[in-house]
Amino acid sequence: MSKQRVYVPLDSAAVALGADDVVDAILAEAHSRKVEIEIVRNGSRGMHWLEPFVEVEVDGKRLGFGPIEAADVSSMFDADFLNGGTHEKSVGFVDDHPFMADQQRLTFARCGQTDPLSFEDYIANGGVEGARKASGKSQEEIVTEIKTSGLRGRGGAGFPAGIKWDTVQGASGDQKYIVCNADEGDSGTFADRMIMEGDPLLLIEGMVIAGLGVGATKGYIYLRSEYPIAGRILNEAIEVAKANNLLGDDVLGSGKAFELSVFIGAGAYICGEETSLLESLEGKRGLVRAKPPLPALEGLFGKPTLVHNVLSLCAVPWILANGGDAYAQYGQGRSKGTLAFQFAGNIKQGGLFETAFGVKLGDLINKYGGGTRSGRAFKAVQIGGPLGAYLPEAMLELPMDYEVMAQNGAGVGHGGIVVFDDTADLMAQARYAFEFCAEESCGKCTPCRVGAVRGEEVIDKLAAGTNYDENMVLLEDLCELMVDGSLCAMGGMTPIPVTSALKHFPDDFAPRHVREAAE
Amino acid sequence: MLDLDASLGERLGMEKIIEEALSGHVGETGGLITGLRHVQERCGFVPGETVRIAAELFNISQAEVRGVISFYADFRDAKPGQHHVRLCVAEACQSVGARAIEADLQDRFAVKMGETDAAEFITIEPVYCLGLCSCAPAAEVDGKLIARVDGQRIADEVSS
């Protein structure tokens, strides 16, 4: 009989909650009880409130236990958890858990289920099918599949992927590149990290298909330095992919080459902006470039470059394996497919929930997220990262859809959902938006560089009640100028959290002495 | 005289380390940034001499090297304290008390955010997201990630 497998995630969230200690405790306990086991460090299922989440396989189904501390391990062995014995931390079969059962996992289907670095596991669970199909297609056929799918850039901008692919494919150049933007700096987002740690071969396969589709032979993953575990896993996965012919001179026998490497950034939020990222990848300061020229035509080292977010590329293998039409069946309107929503901040059930576009914001927060973690009243939610809008309870009925959100002054962004309870001060959050912009602005354009600092000053004056009405006019004027005059989204979108906070939570913007008197 | 010789020897040793850390990355895509990270890994910070050495090795101006070093938050120009704490201060962590932890740490260790204390025991820096937003607040202490962190946990970690 083969050794019983025990799954304990290697995911950063699990590790930050003590997963490594749990592994040590399980190994020690198994050793002293003379039980033969094999530890598999899987990705996370995304139920982070249950991390470290330990799983075993019983009758072909996975049984979960969490959150597990090292101190629980002995009692788990006492309860014979390896064979499905009941324990107070048991949450039953993982697939039947309400949080999992209601998801539509296309991108995260394998995440948490498999050994991230096992090619065998990858193939046995549907991996490489997309790349195999792509290797038998022409470039035009591959690009058409992406167009049909309706996939839009998952990094935040939501630009139609097919148009980008078409442009790079049609561009002439002796060298073309695929660059993966893994500089996931938005607070409230961690989906890129999770998939890179939990199913890195998926990203590699997506990049290989992109290479075949647009005629690129080299790829780079631009990874932020704050993700050291993802970096280690990606580098190991690249070696696994090379050994199995998914990367190399003759990808899957197609006669086409594709090589891939990981580049680690050095702590700059702005490098998540694609042109800044390219400058950084060239070893320079991450200054934003003016567009045009588009990176699709003149990108890395001036060559045609397909720059995509991690999740855009990770959607590609499924699309090629199942067809663009099948992907477009998910979602609504012009928001096709699924999005990995990330529940963050003051939320009871923090984690990742992948489902089709169209799901109501309120359902995500309350039905699946379980409401606030503090148990206090909900006050606001910021969606789509530090450049996203703050929305009040009245807007929780809105469906997650690019166009609907845009009509309501908000954005889907990268799917991050940060919840705040009634202790939040939205004027402080608005000030922070400027503070963050001042900290992270690349400094190239004046509206962003100077505007951010002026914004902090104006909000401080509002709080102090200094020339209140004049400064309120100034704030609105400043926001308008930053939107219209900034070179990129950093300066251009910083006013969104500010103006949304002002619009939906005007009471928070009263001068400090007025607010204190009211309390 | 002896002291002077010793410091010269130390400096030459440092220069050699910097050169070694950088030279493997000349010609690599983004090699300057990767090289600078290796310098910091070896020295604990990016010493001033790096500017001249990198400019020569990469055949670019010293201004360009200085520009890259100053642009990226990861690169430090001084040795950090014995313990290095990075506290996430972004929105998701703010929503569950990051600002209070920041104040707590500044009190506890008598050090300002972004600085090293007088005894060089601890350096506390802000970080804008560690990707642990679902189990915030988060911090990194001497390279170890900690979720649902508080001031006491950080204090325990650095005193253990």
Side-chain angles (χ1 to χ4, degrees), chain A residues 403-424:
Chain A
E403 276 66 43
V404 175
M405 280 293 157
Q407 284 154 18
N408 287 278
V412 172
H414 188 48
I417 293 176
V418 179
V419 175
F420 292 80
D421 71 13
D422 61 356
T423 59

Side-chain angles (χ1 to χ4, degrees), chain A residues 130-214:
Chain A
R132 265 194 229 294
K133 288 202 177 155
S135 67
K137 288 181 189 287
S138 70
Q139 290 184 4
E140 287 78 6
E141 285 169 335
I142 296 173
V143 173
T144 301
E145 216 60 75
I146 298 299
K147 280 186 180 164
T148 308
S149 74
L151 177 68
R152 292 165 70 169
R154 296 287 186 247
F159 188 80
I163 296 179
K164 232 190 225 184
W165 287 47
D166 206 21
T167 310
V168 180
Q169 193 269 328
S172 53
D174 50 350
Q175 176 71 57
K176 294 180 189 176
Y177 296 102
I178 309 295
V179 173
C180 170
N181 183 346
D183 194 46
E184 183 180 50
D186 285 355
S187 175
T189 65
F190 43 83
D192 294 355
R193 177 185 64 63
M194 268 185 67
I195 203 74
M196 289 186 288
E197 292 173 350
D199 197 10
L201 291 163
L202 177 68
L203 174 59
I204 295 172
E205 186 183 347
M207 292 184 74
V208 166
I209 296 170
L212 294 171
V214 304

Side-chain angles (χ1 to χ4, degrees), chain A residues 269 386-387 390 425-442 448-460 475 478 482 490 494-495 497-498, chain B residues 88-91 94 98-99 102 106 113 126-128:
Chain A
Y269 175 78
L387 310 177
Y390 285 100
D425 171 358
L426 272 294
M427 178 148 70
Q429 294 310 123
R431 189 191 191 280
Y432 174 77
F434 283 124
E435 225 177 290
F436 182 69
C437 183
E439 179 71 28
E440 298 291 349
S441 172
C442 83
C448 176
R449 184 185 67 243
V450 179
V453 180
R454 294 288 292 125
E456 287 178 70
E457 293 166 1
V458 172
I459 290 193
D460 286 344
L475 178 66
L478 178 68
M482 286 178 76
M490 178 89 231
T494 287
V498 178
Chain B
C88 179
V89 293
E91 291 90 339
Q94 288 170 10
R99 286 196 181 98
E102 182 178 341
Q106 298 191 107
M113 196 63 149
V127 60
Y128 297 91

Side-chain angles (χ1 to χ4, degrees), chain B residues 22-37:
Chain B
L22 291 170
S23 58
H25 302 289
V26 177
E28 225 178 53
T29 300
L32 177 60
I33 291 170
T34 310
L36 289 171
R37 176 173 316 94

Side-chain angles (χ1 to χ4, degrees), chain A residues 13-80:
Chain A
V15 169
L17 290 165
D20 292 348
D21 294 339
V22 171
V23 168
D24 290 345
I26 292 174
L27 286 172
E29 199 66 35
H31 183 76
S32 75
R33 294 179 188 237
K34 300 195 170 46
V35 182
E36 296 245 326
I37 58 159
E38 180 196 352
I39 298 274
V40 177
R41 299 304 298 266
N42 55 339
S44 171
R45 297 283 189 164
M47 298 191 284
H48 290 160
W49 74 97
L50 293 175
E51 292 290 359
F53 188 61
V54 174
E55 293 176 55
V56 291
E57 198 172 299
V58 177
D59 300 331
K61 286 182 86 179
R62 294 273 281 272
L63 200 57
F65 302 84
I68 299 301
E69 292 172 43
D72 295 320
V73 169
S74 179
S75 67
M76 287 169 69
F77 275 89
D78 288 344
D80 196 21

Side-chain angles (χ1 to χ4, degrees), chain A residues 54-282:
Chain A
V54 174
E55 293 176 55
V56 291
E57 198 172 299
V58 177
D59 300 331
K61 286 182 86 179
R62 294 273 281 272
L63 200 57
F65 302 84
I68 299 301
E69 292 172 43
D72 295 320
V73 169
S74 179
S75 67
M76 287 169 69
F77 275 89
D78 288 344
D80 196 21
F81 84 110
L82 291 172
N83 295 302
T86 50
H87 185 271
E88 55 170 347
K89 294 279 182 83
S90 170
V91 300
F93 290 112
V94 179
D95 291 337
D96 300 340
H97 193 287
F99 191 85
M100 299 301 291
D102 280 3
Q103 295 190 50
Q104 292 166 305
R105 286 199 166 196
L106 307 186
T107 298
F108 283 79
R110 265 181 307 267
C111 190
Q113 200 185 329
T114 54
D115 176 347
L117 294 169
S118 160
F119 206 76
E120 244 171 63
D121 260 17
Y122 189 63
I123 289 196
N125 290 280
V128 194
E129 219 179 297
R132 265 194 229 294
K133 288 202 177 155
S135 67
K137 288 181 189 287
S138 70
Q139 290 184 4
E140 287 78 6
E141 285 169 335
I142 296 173
V143 173
T144 301
E145 216 60 75
I146 298 299
K147 280 186 180 164
T148 308
S149 74
L151 177 68
R152 292 165 70 169
R154 296 287 186 247
F159 188 80
I163 296 179
K164 232 190 225 184
W165 287 47
D166 206 21
T167 310
V168 180
Q169 193 269 328
S172 53
D174 50 350
Q175 176 71 57
K176 294 180 189 176
Y177 296 102
I178 309 295
V179 173
C180 170
N181 183 346
D183 194 46
E184 183 180 50
D186 285 355
S187 175
T189 65
F190 43 83
D192 294 355
R193 177 185 64 63
M194 268 185 67
I195 203 74
M196 289 186 288
E197 292 173 350
D199 197 10
L201 291 163
L202 177 68
L203 174 59
I204 295 172
E205 186 183 347
M207 292 184 74
V208 166
I209 296 170
L212 294 171
V214 304
T217 54
K218 266 191 190 171
Y220 292 98
I221 298 170
Y222 185 103
L223 180 70
R224 62 199 299 259
S225 62
E226 290 84 350
Y227 286 177
I229 296 178
R232 178 172 62 77
I233 303 294
L234 283 171
N235 276 312
E236 286 179 37
I238 286 173
E239 293 309 314
V240 170
K242 279 185 195 165
N244 289 280
N245 221 15
L246 183 58
L247 290 171
D249 294 335
D250 179 20
V251 171
L252 301 174
S254 64
K256 313 242 172 61
F258 194 75
E259 61 174 80
L260 181 59
S261 49
V262 177
F263 178 85
I264 311 287
Y269 175 78
I270 192 62
C271 291
E273 196 283 332
E274 61 177 359
T275 62
S276 162
L277 182 150
L278 293 171
E279 287 288 302
S280 182
L281 188 49
E282 292 180 12

